[in-house]
mmCIF file of all heavy atoms in Angstrom:
data_model
loop_
_atom_site.group_PDB
_atom_site.id
_atom_site.type_symbol
_atom_site.label_atom_id
_atom_site.label_comp_id
_atom_site.label_asym_id
_atom_site.label_seq_id
_atom_site.Cartn_x
_atom_site.Cartn_y
_atom_site.Cartn_z
ATOM 1 N N ASN A 124 135.394 105.161 104.656
ATOM 2 C CA ASN A 124 134.076 105.444 105.330
ATOM 3 C C ASN A 124 132.920 104.955 104.512
ATOM 4 O O ASN A 124 131.903 104.436 104.987
ATOM 5 C CB ASN A 124 133.956 106.927 105.620
ATOM 6 C CG ASN A 124 134.861 107.422 106.692
ATOM 7 O OD1 ASN A 124 135.241 106.692 107.600
ATOM 8 N ND2 ASN A 124 135.302 108.696 106.544
ATOM 9 N N SER A 131 127.849 97.947 106.426
ATOM 10 C CA SER A 131 127.239 97.876 107.788
ATOM 11 C C SER A 131 125.899 97.152 107.795
ATOM 12 O O SER A 131 125.470 96.668 108.873
ATOM 13 C CB SER A 131 127.142 99.318 108.356
ATOM 14 O OG SER A 131 126.168 100.051 107.687
ATOM 15 N N TYR A 196 123.953 95.956 84.648
ATOM 16 C CA TYR A 196 124.611 94.792 85.091
ATOM 17 C C TYR A 196 123.625 93.623 85.000
ATOM 18 O O TYR A 196 122.500 93.703 85.482
ATOM 19 C CB TYR A 196 125.099 94.924 86.549
ATOM 20 C CG TYR A 196 125.954 96.094 86.803
ATOM 21 C CD1 TYR A 196 125.423 97.219 87.492
ATOM 22 C CD2 TYR A 196 127.255 96.163 86.345
ATOM 23 C CE1 TYR A 196 126.252 98.319 87.734
ATOM 24 C CE2 TYR A 196 128.047 97.270 86.538
ATOM 25 C CZ TYR A 196 127.563 98.356 87.271
ATOM 26 O OH TYR A 196 128.342 99.419 87.485
ATOM 27 N N PHE A 246 118.283 123.447 78.626
ATOM 28 C CA PHE A 246 119.249 122.519 78.045
ATOM 29 C C PHE A 246 119.551 121.343 79.016
ATOM 30 O O PHE A 246 119.493 120.197 78.703
ATOM 31 C CB PHE A 246 120.558 123.199 77.679
ATOM 32 C CG PHE A 246 121.691 122.321 77.301
ATOM 33 C CD1 PHE A 246 121.791 121.890 75.944
ATOM 34 C CD2 PHE A 246 122.530 121.832 78.208
ATOM 35 C CE1 PHE A 246 122.814 121.064 75.590
ATOM 36 C CE2 PHE A 246 123.596 120.936 77.848
ATOM 37 C CZ PHE A 246 123.750 120.572 76.518
ATOM 38 N N THR A 275 118.845 109.538 90.890
ATOM 39 C CA THR A 275 118.061 109.848 89.693
ATOM 40 C C THR A 275 118.003 111.316 89.364
ATOM 41 O O THR A 275 117.671 111.730 88.284
ATOM 42 C CB THR A 275 116.612 109.376 89.874
ATOM 43 O OG1 THR A 275 115.982 110.120 90.903
ATOM 44 C CG2 THR A 275 116.538 107.857 90.226
ATOM 45 N N ALA A 321 111.837 98.850 91.132
ATOM 46 C CA ALA A 321 111.807 97.475 90.679
ATOM 47 C C ALA A 321 110.584 97.253 89.784
ATOM 48 O O ALA A 321 109.566 97.916 89.955
ATOM 49 C CB ALA A 321 111.754 96.488 91.756
#
Side-chain angles (χ1 to χ4, degrees):
N124 291 329
S131 66
Y196 305 107
F246 171 88
T275 67

